Coordinates of all heavy atoms in Angstrom, one line a residue:
R1455 N 0.8 -1.2 0.0 CA 0.0 0.0 0.0 C 0.9 1.2 0.0 O 1.7 1.4 0.9 CB -0.9 0.0 1.2 CG -1.9 -1.2 1.2 CD -2.8 -1.2 2.4 NE -3.4 0.1 2.6 CZ -3.9 0.6 3.7 NH1 -3.9 -0.2 4.8 NH2 -4.4 1.7 3.8
Y1456 N 0.7 2.1 -1.0 CA 1.4 3.3 -1.1 C 0.6 4.4 -1.8 O -0.4 4.1 -2.5 CB 2.8 3.1 -1.7 CG 2.7 2.6 -3.1 CD1 2.7 3.4 -4.2 CD2 2.6 1.2 -3.4 CE1 2.6 3.0 -5.5 CE2 2.5 0.7 -4.7 CZ 2.5 1.6 -5.7 OH 2.4 1.2 -7.0
V1457 N 1.1 5.6 -1.7 CA 0.5 6.7 -2.4 C 1.6 7.5 -3.1 O 2.7 7.6 -2.6 CB -0.2 7.7 -1.4 CG1 -0.8 8.9 -2.1 CG2 -1.4 6.9 -0.7
G1458 N 1.3 8.0 -4.3 CA 2.3 8.8 -5.0 C 1.7 10.1 -5.4 O 0.5 10.2 -5.7
K1459 N 2.5 11.2 -5.3 CA 2.0 12.5 -5.8 C 3.2 13.3 -6.2 O 4.3 13.0 -5.8 CB 1.2 13.2 -4.7 CG 1.9 13.5 -3.4 CD 1.0 14.1 -2.4 CE 1.6 14.2 -1.0 NZ 0.7 14.7 -0.1
V1460 N 2.9 14.3 -7.1 CA 4.0 15.2 -7.5 C 3.7 16.6 -6.8 O 2.6 17.1 -7.0 CB 4.0 15.4 -9.0 CG1 5.1 16.4 -9.4 CG2 4.4 14.0 -9.7
L1461 N 4.7 17.1 -6.1 CA 4.6 18.4 -5.5 C 5.2 19.4 -6.5 O 6.4 19.2 -6.9 CB 5.3 18.4 -4.2 CG 4.9 17.4 -3.1 CD1 5.9 17.4 -2.0 CD2 3.5 17.6 -2.7
H1462 N 4.5 20.4 -6.8 CA 5.0 21.5 -7.7 C 5.3 22.7 -6.7 O 4.4 23.2 -6.1 CB 4.0 22.0 -8.7 CG 3.6 20.9 -9.6 ND1 4.4 20.4 -10.7 CD2 2.4 20.1 -9.7 CE1 3.7 19.4 -11.3 NE2 2.6 19.2 -10.7
V1463 N 6.6 23.1 -6.5 CA 6.9 24.1 -5.6 C 7.6 25.2 -6.4 O 8.6 25.0 -7.0 CB 7.9 23.6 -4.5 CG1 8.0 24.7 -3.4 CG2 7.3 22.3 -3.8
K1464 N 7.0 26.4 -6.3 CA 7.5 27.6 -7.1 C 8.7 28.2 -6.3 O 8.7 28.1 -5.1 CB 6.4 28.6 -7.3 CG 5.2 28.1 -8.1 CD 4.6 29.2 -8.9 CE 3.6 28.7 -9.8 NZ 4.0 28.5 -11.2
A1465 N 9.6 28.8 -7.1 CA 10.8 29.4 -6.5 C 10.4 30.3 -5.4 O 9.4 31.1 -5.5 CB 11.5 30.2 -7.6
G1466 N 11.1 30.2 -4.3 CA 10.9 31.1 -3.1 C 9.8 30.6 -2.2 O 9.7 31.1 -1.1
H1467 N 9.1 29.6 -2.5 CA 8.0 29.1 -1.6 C 8.6 28.0 -0.7 O 9.5 27.2 -1.1 CB 6.8 28.6 -2.4 CG 6.0 29.7 -3.0 ND1 4.9 30.3 -2.3 CD2 6.2 30.5 -4.1 CE1 4.5 31.3 -3.1 NE2 5.2 31.4 -4.1
V1468 N 8.0 27.9 0.5 CA 8.5 26.9 1.5 C 7.3 26.1 2.0 O 6.3 26.7 2.3 CB 9.1 27.7 2.7 CG1 9.6 26.8 3.7 CG2 10.2 28.7 2.3
L1469 N 7.4 24.8 2.0 CA 6.4 24.0 2.6 C 6.5 24.0 4.1 O 7.5 24.5 4.7 CB 6.5 22.6 2.0 CG 6.4 22.4 0.5 CD1 6.3 20.9 0.2 CD2 5.2 23.1 0.0
S1470 N 5.4 23.5 4.8 CA 5.4 23.6 6.2 C 6.6 22.8 6.8 O 7.1 21.8 6.3 CB 4.1 22.8 6.7 OG 3.0 23.4 6.2
L1471 N 7.0 23.3 8.0 CA 7.9 22.6 8.8 C 7.0 21.6 9.6 O 6.1 22.0 10.3 CB 8.6 23.5 9.9 CG 9.6 22.8 10.8 CD1 10.8 22.2 10.0 CD2 10.1 23.8 11.8
Q1472 N 7.3 20.3 9.3 CA 6.3 19.3 9.7 C 6.9 17.9 10.0 O 8.1 17.7 9.8 CB 5.3 19.1 8.6 CG 6.0 18.5 7.3 CD 5.0 18.5 6.1 OE1 3.8 18.1 6.3 NE2 5.5 18.7 4.9
Y1473 N 6.1 17.0 10.6 CA 6.5 15.6 10.8 C 5.2 14.8 10.7 O 4.1 15.4 10.7 CB 7.3 15.4 12.1 CG 6.5 15.6 13.4 CD1 5.8 14.5 13.9 CD2 6.4 16.8 14.0 CE1 5.1 14.7 15.1 CE2 5.7 17.0 15.2 CZ 5.0 15.9 15.7 OH 4.3 16.1 16.9
H1474 N 5.4 13.5 10.7 CA 4.2 12.6 10.6 C 4.4 11.6 11.7 O 5.5 11.1 12.0 CB 4.2 11.8 9.3 CG 4.4 12.8 8.1 ND1 3.4 13.6 7.7 CD2 5.4 13.0 7.2 CE1 3.8 14.3 6.6 NE2 5.0 13.9 6.4
N1475 N 3.3 11.2 12.3 CA 3.4 10.2 13.4 C 3.5 8.7 12.9 O 4.2 7.9 13.4 CB 2.1 10.2 14.3 CG 2.1 11.5 15.1 OD1 3.0 11.8 15.9 ND2 1.0 12.3 15.0
K1476 N 2.9 8.4 11.7 CA 2.9 7.1 11.2 C 3.4 7.1 9.7 O 4.1 6.1 9.3 CB 1.5 6.5 11.2 CG 1.0 6.2 12.6 CD -0.4 5.5 12.5 CE -0.9 5.3 13.8 NZ -2.3 4.7 13.8
K1477 N 3.1 8.1 9.0 CA 3.4 8.2 7.6 C 4.9 8.1 7.3 O 5.7 8.8 8.0 CB 2.9 9.4 7.0 CG 3.0 9.6 5.5 CD 2.4 10.9 5.0 CE 2.7 11.2 3.6 NZ 2.2 12.6 3.2
D1478 N 5.3 7.2 6.4 CA 6.7 7.1 6.0 C 6.8 7.5 4.5 O 5.9 7.0 3.7 CB 7.1 5.6 6.2 CG 8.5 5.3 5.9 OD1 8.9 5.1 4.7 OD2 9.3 5.2 6.8
E1479 N 7.7 8.3 4.1 CA 7.7 8.8 2.7 C 9.2 8.9 2.2 O 10.1 8.9 2.9 CB 7.0 10.1 2.6 CG 7.7 11.3 3.4 CD 6.9 12.6 3.4 OE1 5.6 12.5 3.2 OE2 7.5 13.6 3.6
T1480 N 9.2 8.8 0.9 CA 10.4 9.1 0.1 C 10.1 10.2 -0.9 O 9.1 10.1 -1.6 CB 10.9 7.8 -0.6 OG1 11.2 6.8 0.4 CG2 12.2 8.1 -1.4
M1481 N 11.0 11.1 -0.9 CA 10.9 12.2 -1.9 C 12.1 12.1 -2.9 O 13.2 11.9 -2.5 CB 10.9 13.6 -1.2 CG 9.7 13.8 -0.3 SD 9.6 15.5 0.3 CE 10.9 15.5 1.5
H1482 N 11.7 12.4 -4.2 CA 12.7 12.3 -5.3 C 12.5 13.6 -6.1 O 11.4 13.9 -6.6 CB 12.5 11.1 -6.1 CG 13.4 11.0 -7.3 ND1 14.8 10.6 -7.2 CD2 13.2 11.3 -8.6 CE1 15.3 10.7 -8.4 NE2 14.4 11.1 -9.2
V1483 N 13.6 14.4 -6.3 CA 13.5 15.6 -7.1 C 13.5 15.2 -8.6 O 14.5 14.7 -9.1 CB 14.6 16.6 -6.7 CG1 14.4 17.9 -7.5 CG2 14.7 16.9 -5.2
L1484 N 12.4 15.5 -9.2 CA 12.3 15.3 -10.7 C 13.0 16.4 -11.4 O 13.6 16.2 -12.4 CB 10.8 15.2 -11.1 CG 10.0 14.0 -10.5 CD1 8.5 14.2 -10.8 CD2 10.6 12.7 -11.0
S1485 N 12.8 17.7 -11.0 CA 13.4 18.8 -11.7 C 13.5 19.9 -10.7 O 12.8 20.0 -9.7 CB 12.6 19.3 -12.9 OG 11.3 19.7 -12.4
G1486 N 14.5 20.8 -10.9 CA 14.7 22.0 -10.1 C 15.7 21.8 -9.0 O 16.5 20.9 -9.0
E1487 N 15.7 22.7 -8.0 CA 16.6 22.7 -6.9 C 15.9 23.3 -5.7 O 15.2 24.3 -5.8 CB 17.8 23.6 -7.2 CG 18.8 23.6 -6.1 CD 20.0 24.5 -6.4 OE1 20.2 24.9 -7.6 OE2 20.8 24.8 -5.5
L1488 N 16.1 22.6 -4.6 CA 15.4 23.0 -3.3 C 16.4 22.9 -2.2 O 17.6 22.5 -2.4 CB 14.3 22.0 -3.0 CG 13.2 21.8 -4.1 CD1 13.4 20.5 -4.8 CD2 11.8 21.9 -3.5
I1489 N 16.0 23.4 -1.1 CA 16.8 23.3 0.2 C 15.9 22.3 1.0 O 14.7 22.5 1.2 CB 16.9 24.6 0.9 CG1 17.7 25.6 0.0 CG2 17.6 24.4 2.3 CD1 17.7 27.0 0.5
L1490 N 16.5 21.2 1.5 CA 15.9 20.3 2.4 C 16.4 20.5 3.8 O 17.6 20.6 4.0 CB 16.2 18.8 1.9 CG 15.8 17.7 2.9 CD1 14.3 17.6 3.0 CD2 16.4 16.4 2.5
R1491 N 15.4 20.7 4.7 CA 15.8 20.9 6.1 C 15.2 19.8 6.9 O 14.1 19.4 6.7 CB 15.2 22.3 6.6 CG 15.8 23.5 5.9 CD 15.2 24.8 6.5 NE 15.8 25.9 5.8 CZ 15.1 26.5 4.8 NH1 14.0 26.1 4.4 NH2 15.7 27.5 4.2
T1492 N 16.1 19.2 7.8 CA 15.6 18.1 8.7 C 16.1 18.4 10.1 O 17.2 19.1 10.2 CB 16.1 16.8 8.2 OG1 17.5 16.8 8.1 CG2 15.5 16.4 6.9
R1493 N 15.4 17.9 11.0 CA 15.9 18.0 12.4 C 15.9 16.6 13.0 O 14.9 16.0 13.3 CB 14.9 18.9 13.3 CG 15.4 19.1 14.7 CD 14.7 20.2 15.4 NE 13.3 19.8 15.6 CZ 12.3 20.8 15.7 NH1 12.6 22.0 15.7 NH2 11.1 20.4 15.9
P1494 N 17.1 16.1 13.1 CA 17.3 14.6 13.4 C 16.8 14.3 14.8 O 16.4 13.1 15.1 CB 18.8 14.4 13.3 CG 19.4 15.7 13.3 CD 18.4 16.7 12.8
G1495 N 16.8 15.2 15.8 CA 16.4 14.9 17.1 C 15.7 16.1 17.8 O 16.0 17.2 17.4
E1496 N 14.9 15.8 18.8 CA 14.2 16.9 19.5 C 15.3 17.8 20.1 O 16.2 17.4 20.7 CB 13.3 16.3 20.6 CG 12.4 17.4 21.1 CD 11.2 16.7 21.9 OE1 10.8 15.6 21.6 OE2 10.8 17.4 22.9
G1497 N 15.0 19.1 20.0 CA 15.9 20.1 20.6 C 17.1 20.4 19.7 O 17.9 21.3 20.0
E1498 N 17.3 19.6 18.7 CA 18.5 19.9 17.8 C 18.1 21.0 16.7 O 16.9 21.2 16.5 CB 18.9 18.6 17.1 CG 19.5 17.6 18.0 CD 20.1 16.4 17.3 OE1 20.6 16.5 16.2 OE2 20.0 15.3 17.9
V1499 N 19.1 21.6 16.1 CA 18.8 22.6 15.1 C 18.5 22.0 13.8 O 18.9 20.8 13.5 CB 20.0 23.6 15.0 CG1 20.3 24.3 16.3 CG2 21.3 22.9 14.6
L1500 N 17.8 22.7 12.9 CA 17.6 22.2 11.6 C 18.9 22.1 10.8 O 19.7 23.1 10.9 CB 16.6 23.1 10.9 CG 15.1 23.1 11.3 CD1 14.4 24.2 10.6 CD2 14.5 21.7 11.0
E1501 N 19.0 21.0 10.1 CA 20.2 20.9 9.2 C 19.7 21.1 7.8 O 18.6 20.6 7.4 CB 20.7 19.5 9.3 CG 21.3 19.2 10.7 CD 21.8 17.7 10.8 OE1 21.6 16.9 9.8 OE2 22.3 17.4 11.9
A1502 N 20.4 21.9 7.0 CA 19.9 22.3 5.6 C 21.0 21.7 4.6 O 22.2 21.7 4.9 CB 19.8 23.8 5.5
R1503 N 20.4 21.2 3.5 CA 21.3 20.7 2.5 C 20.6 20.9 1.1 O 19.4 21.0 1.0 CB 21.7 19.3 2.6 CG 20.6 18.3 2.4 CD 21.2 16.9 2.5 NE 20.2 15.8 2.3 CZ 19.9 15.3 1.1 NH1 20.4 15.7 0.0 NH2 19.0 14.3 1.1
A1504 N 21.4 21.0 0.1 CA 20.9 21.2 -1.3 C 20.2 19.9 -1.6 O 20.6 18.8 -1.2 CB 22.0 21.4 -2.3
F1505 N 19.1 20.0 -2.4 CA 18.2 18.9 -2.8 C 17.9 19.1 -4.2 O 17.1 20.0 -4.6 CB 17.0 18.9 -1.9 CG 16.1 17.7 -1.9 CD1 16.7 16.4 -2.0 CD2 14.8 17.8 -1.7 CE1 15.9 15.3 -1.9 CE2 13.9 16.7 -1.7 CZ 14.5 15.4 -1.8
R1506 N 18.6 18.5 -5.1 CA 18.6 18.8 -6.6 C 18.0 17.6 -7.4 O 17.9 16.5 -6.9 CB 20.0 19.1 -7.1 CG 20.6 20.3 -6.4 CD 22.0 20.5 -7.0 NE 22.6 21.7 -6.4 CZ 23.5 21.8 -5.5 NH1 24.0 20.6 -5.0 NH2 24.0 22.9 -5.0
A1507 N 17.7 17.9 -8.7 CA 17.2 16.9 -9.6 C 18.0 15.6 -9.5 O 19.3 15.7 -9.6 CB 17.2 17.5 -11.0
G1508 N 17.3 14.5 -9.3 CA 18.0 13.2 -9.2 C 18.2 12.8 -7.8 O 18.5 11.6 -7.5
D1509 N 18.1 13.7 -6.8 CA 18.3 13.3 -5.4 C 17.1 12.7 -4.8 O 16.0 13.1 -5.2 CB 18.7 14.6 -4.6 CG 20.1 15.1 -4.9 OD1 20.9 14.4 -5.5 OD2 20.4 16.3 -4.4
S1510 N 17.3 11.8 -3.9 CA 16.2 11.2 -3.2 C 16.5 11.2 -1.7 O 17.6 11.2 -1.3 CB 16.0 9.7 -3.6 OG 15.6 9.7 -5.0
V1511 N 15.4 11.2 -0.9 CA 15.6 11.2 0.6 C 14.4 10.4 1.2 O 13.3 10.5 0.7 CB 15.7 12.6 1.2 CG1 14.4 13.4 1.0 CG2 16.1 12.5 2.7
H1512 N 14.8 9.6 2.2 CA 13.8 8.8 3.0 C 13.4 9.7 4.2 O 14.3 10.1 4.9 CB 14.3 7.5 3.4 CG 13.4 6.7 4.2 ND1 13.8 6.2 5.4 CD2 12.1 6.4 4.1 CE1 12.8 5.6 6.0 NE2 11.7 5.7 5.2
I1513 N 12.1 9.9 4.4 CA 11.6 10.6 5.6 C 10.8 9.7 6.4 O 9.6 9.4 6.2 CB 10.7 11.8 5.1 CG1 11.4 12.7 4.1 CG2 10.2 12.6 6.4 CD1 12.6 13.5 4.7
P1514 N 11.4 9.1 7.5 CA 10.7 8.2 8.3 C 9.7 8.9 9.2 O 9.9 10.1 9.4 CB 11.8 7.5 9.1 CG 12.9 8.5 9.2 CD 12.8 9.2 7.9
A1515 N 8.7 8.2 9.8 CA 7.8 8.8 10.7 C 8.6 9.5 11.8 O 9.6 8.9 12.3 CB 6.9 7.8 11.3
G1516 N 8.2 10.7 12.3 CA 8.8 11.4 13.4 C 9.9 12.4 13.0 O 10.3 13.2 13.8
L1517 N 10.4 12.3 11.7 CA 11.5 13.2 11.3 C 10.9 14.5 10.9 O 10.1 14.6 10.0 CB 12.3 12.6 10.2 CG 13.4 13.5 9.6 CD1 14.5 13.6 10.7 CD2 14.0 12.9 8.4
V1518 N 11.3 15.6 11.6 CA 10.9 16.9 11.2 C 11.6 17.3 9.9 O 12.8 17.1 9.8 CB 11.3 17.9 12.4 CG1 11.0 19.4 12.0 CG2 10.5 17.6 13.7
H1519 N 10.8 17.8 9.0 CA 11.3 18.2 7.7 C 10.6 19.3 7.0 O 9.5 19.7 7.4 CB 11.3 16.9 6.8 CG 9.9 16.4 6.5 ND1 9.3 15.7 7.5 CD2 9.1 16.5 5.4 CE1 8.1 15.3 7.0 NE2 8.0 15.8 5.7
Q1520 N 11.3 19.9 6.0 CA 10.7 21.0 5.2 C 11.5 21.2 3.9 O 12.7 20.9 3.9 CB 10.9 22.3 6.1 CG 10.4 23.6 5.4 CD 10.7 24.8 6.3 OE1 11.9 25.1 6.6 NE2 9.6 25.4 6.7
I1521 N 10.8 21.6 2.9 CA 11.6 21.9 1.6 C 11.2 23.3 1.2 O 10.1 23.8 1.4 CB 11.3 20.9 0.5 CG1 9.8 20.8 0.2 CG2 11.9 19.5 0.8 CD1 9.5 19.9 -1.0
E1522 N 12.2 24.0 0.6 CA 12.1 25.3 0.1 C 12.6 25.3 -1.3 O 13.8 24.8 -1.6 CB 12.9 26.3 0.9 CG 12.9 27.7 0.4 CD 13.6 28.7 1.3 OE1 14.0 28.3 2.4 OE2 13.7 29.9 0.8
A1523 N 11.9 25.8 -2.3 CA 12.3 25.8 -3.7 C 13.2 27.0 -4.0 O 12.9 28.2 -3.7 CB 11.1 25.9 -4.6
V1524 N 14.4 26.7 -4.5 CA 15.3 27.7 -5.0 C 14.9 28.2 -6.4 O 14.9 29.4 -6.7 CB 16.8 27.2 -5.1 CG1 17.7 28.2 -5.6 CG2 17.2 26.7 -3.7
V1525 N 14.5 27.3 -7.2 CA 13.9 27.5 -8.5 C 12.6 26.7 -8.6 O 12.4 25.8 -7.7 CB 14.8 27.2 -9.7 CG1 16.1 28.0 -9.6 CG2 15.1 25.7 -9.7
D1526 N 11.7 27.0 -9.6 CA 10.5 26.1 -9.7 C 11.0 24.7 -9.8 O 11.9 24.3 -10.5 CB 9.8 26.5 -11.0 CG 9.1 27.9 -10.9 OD1 9.1 28.5 -9.8 OD2 8.5 28.3 -11.9
S1527 N 10.3 23.8 -9.0 CA 10.7 22.4 -8.8 C 9.6 21.5 -8.7 O 8.5 21.8 -8.3 CB 11.5 22.3 -7.5 OG 12.7 23.2 -7.5
D1528 N 9.8 20.3 -9.2 CA 8.8 19.2 -9.1 C 9.5 18.0 -8.2 O 10.6 17.6 -8.5 CB 8.5 18.6 -10.4 CG 7.6 19.6 -11.2 OD1 6.8 20.3 -10.6 OD2 7.8 19.6 -12.5
V1529 N 8.7 17.6 -7.2 CA 9.2 16.5 -6.3 C 8.2 15.4 -6.3 O 7.0 15.6 -6.1 CB 9.4 17.1 -4.9 CG1 9.8 16.0 -4.0 CG2 10.4 18.3 -4.9
L1530 N 8.7 14.2 -6.6 CA 7.8 13.0 -6.5 C 7.8 12.5 -5.1 O 8.9 12.4 -4.5 CB 8.4 11.9 -7.4 CG 7.7 10.6 -7.4 CD1 6.2 10.7 -7.8 CD2 8.4 9.5 -8.2
E1531 N 6.7 12.4 -4.5 CA 6.6 11.9 -3.1 C 5.8 10.5 -3.2 O 4.7 10.4 -3.7 CB 5.8 12.8 -2.2 CG 5.7 12.4 -0.8 CD 4.9 13.3 0.1 OE1 5.4 14.4 0.3 OE2 3.8 12.9 0.5
A1532 N 6.5 9.5 -2.7 CA 5.9 8.2 -2.5 C 5.8 7.9 -1.0 O 6.8 8.1 -0.3 CB 6.7 7.1 -3.2
S1533 N 4.6 7.5 -0.5 CA 4.5 7.4 0.9 C 3.5 6.2 1.2 O 2.7 5.8 0.4 CB 4.0 8.7 1.6 OG 2.6 8.9 1.3
T1534 N 3.5 5.9 2.5 CA 2.4 5.1 3.0 C 1.1 5.9 3.0 O 1.2 7.1 2.8 CB 2.7 4.6 4.5 OG1 2.9 5.7 5.3 CG2 4.0 3.7 4.5
P1535 N -0.1 5.2 3.1 CA -1.3 5.9 2.8 C -1.9 6.8 3.8 O -3.1 7.3 3.7 CB -2.3 4.8 2.4 CG -1.8 3.6 3.2 CD -0.3 3.8 3.2
E1536 N -1.2 7.2 4.9 CA -1.8 8.0 5.9 C -1.8 9.5 5.6 O -1.0 10.2 6.1 CB -1.1 7.8 7.3 CG -1.1 6.4 7.8 CD -0.1 5.5 7.3 OE1 0.9 5.9 6.6 OE2 -0.1 4.3 7.5
L1537 N -2.6 9.9 4.6 CA -2.5 11.2 4.1 C -2.9 12.3 5.0 O -2.4 13.5 4.9 CB -3.4 11.3 2.8 CG -3.0 10.4 1.6 CD1 -4.0 10.6 0.5 CD2 -1.6 10.7 1.2
D1538 N -3.7 12.0 6.0 CA -4.0 13.1 7.0 C -3.1 13.1 8.2 O -3.3 13.9 9.1 CB -5.5 12.8 7.5 CG -6.5 13.0 6.4 OD1 -6.3 13.8 5.5 OD2 -7.5 12.3 6.5
D1539 N -2.0 12.3 8.2 CA -1.1 12.3 9.3 C 0.0 13.4 9.1 O 1.0 13.2 8.5 CB -0.4 10.9 9.3 CG 0.7 10.8 10.4 OD1 0.7 11.6 11.3 OD2 1.5 9.9 10.3
L1540 N -0.4 14.6 9.6 CA 0.5 15.7 9.4 C 0.5 16.6 10.6 O -0.6 17.0 11.0 CB 0.0 16.6 8.2 CG 0.6 17.9 7.9 CD1 2.1 17.8 7.6 CD2 -0.1 18.6 6.8
V1541 N 1.6 16.9 11.2 CA 1.7 17.8 12.3 C 2.6 19.0 11.8 O 3.8 18.8 11.6 CB 2.4 17.1 13.5 CG1 2.5 18.1 14.7 CG2 1.6 15.9 14.0
R1542 N 1.9 20.1 11.7 CA 2.7 21.3 11.2 C 3.2 22.0 12.4 O 2.5 22.4 13.4 CB 1.7 22.3 10.5 CG 1.4 21.8 9.1 CD 0.7 23.0 8.3 NE 0.5 22.6 6.9 CZ -0.6 22.1 6.4 NH1 -1.7 22.1 7.2 NH2 -0.7 21.8 5.2
L1543 N 4.5 22.3 12.4 CA 5.2 23.0 13.5 C 5.2 24.5 13.2 O 5.1 25.4 14.1 CB 6.6 22.5 13.7 CG 6.6 21.0 14.1 CD1 8.1 20.6 14.1 CD2 5.9 20.8 15.4
S1544 N 5.3 24.9 11.9 CA 5.2 26.2 11.5 C 4.8 26.2 10.0 O 5.1 25.3 9.3 CB 6.5 27.0 11.7 OG 7.5 26.5 10.9
D1545 N 4.2 27.3 9.5 CA 3.7 27.4 8.2 C 3.6 28.8 7.8 O 2.9 29.6 8.4 CB 2.3 26.7 8.0 CG 1.8 26.7 6.6 OD1 2.4 25.9 5.8 OD2 0.9 27.5 6.3
R1546 N 4.3 29.2 6.7 CA 4.3 30.5 6.2 C 2.9 31.0 5.8 O 2.7 32.2 5.7 CB 5.3 30.6 5.0 CG 5.4 31.9 4.3 CD 6.2 31.9 3.1 NE 7.6 31.9 3.5 CZ 8.6 31.9 2.6 NH1 8.4 32.0 1.3 NH2 9.9 31.9 3.0
Y1547 N 2.1 30.1 5.4 CA 0.8 30.5 4.8 C -0.4 30.4 5.8 O -1.6 30.5 5.4 CB 0.5 29.6 3.6 CG 1.7 29.6 2.7 CD1 2.6 28.6 2.6 CD2 2.0 30.8 1.9 CE1 3.7 28.6 1.8 CE2 3.1 30.8 1.1 CZ 4.0 29.7 1.0 OH 5.1 29.8 0.3
G1548 N -0.1 30.2 7.1 CA -1.1 30.2 8.1 C -2.0 29.0 8.2 O -3.0 29.0 8.9
R1549 N -1.5 27.9 7.6 CA -2.3 26.6 7.7 C -2.0 26.0 9.0 O -0.9 26.1 9.6 CB -1.9 25.7 6.6 CG -2.3 26.2 5.2 CD -1.7 25.4 4.1 NE -0.3 25.5 4.1 CZ 0.5 24.9 3.2 NH1 0.0 24.1 2.3 NH2 1.8 25.0 3.3
S1550 N -2.9 25.2 9.5 CA -2.7 24.5 10.8 C -2.8 23.0 10.5 O -3.2 22.6 9.4 CB -3.7 24.9 11.9 OG -5.0 24.6 11.4
S1551 N -2.5 22.2 11.5 CA -2.5 20.7 11.3 C -3.9 20.2 11.0 O -4.9 20.8 11.4 CB -2.0 20.0 12.5 OG -0.7 20.3 12.7

């Protein structure tokens, strides 16, 4: 059981700083360039790295993460089917969990 979707992120836009309680996902950059931020443990600072076309990352349940587009980008996300499993820690656009 899995779900796939393509995220279209426009240059300068940032997705929520978030984590999932059960959902396990893998993201693969189809095109563009982003900044991937993760926080490996509670109380630790966010680590940022370039996330470019051809790169993939596994996001296990509980890992705090966020992506920001440097240029218009497309990201393939394959995950387990818990689509409503989202805890937003912060969101530029005022959305809540």
Side-chain angles (χ1 to χ4, degrees):
R1455 297 180 50 200
Y1456 61 90
V1457 174
K1459 59 185 170 182
V1460 176
L1461 305 172
H1462 303 284
V1463 188
K1464 296 212 177 257
H1467 287 265
V1468 182
L1469 300 188
S1470 301
L1471 181 64
Q1472 62 185 325
Y1473 69 90
H1474 312 288
N1475 289 306
K1476 294 181 182 177
K1477 183 177 167 187
D1478 185 277
E1479 63 189 24
T1480 296
M1481 293 189 288
H1482 177 79
V1483 182
L1484 296 171
S1485 65
E1487 180 180 350
L1488 305 104
I1489 298 167
L1490 170 66
R1491 295 182 184 95
T1492 58
R1493 185 167 61 208
E1496 193 168 328
E1498 295 187 32
V1499 297
L1500 286 172
E1501 297 175 357
R1503 70 172 178 92
F1505 194 37
R1506 297 184 177 102
D1509 290 347
S1510 297
V1511 65
H1512 175 233
I1513 306 290
L1517 180 64
V1518 173
H1519 60 285
Q1520 179 182 62
I1521 56 175
E1522 177 178 355
V1524 176
V1525 299
D1526 289 356
S1527 301
D1528 290 326
V1529 178
L1530 174 63
E1531 179 183 293
S1533 74
T1534 57
E1536 298 87 7
L1537 296 179
D1538 294 330
D1539 178 18
L1540 171 65
V1541 180
R1542 284 191 174 103
L1543 301 173
S1544 67
D1545 183 73
R1546 177 184 285 185
Y1547 309 104
R1549 297 173 293 182
S1550 61
S1551 294

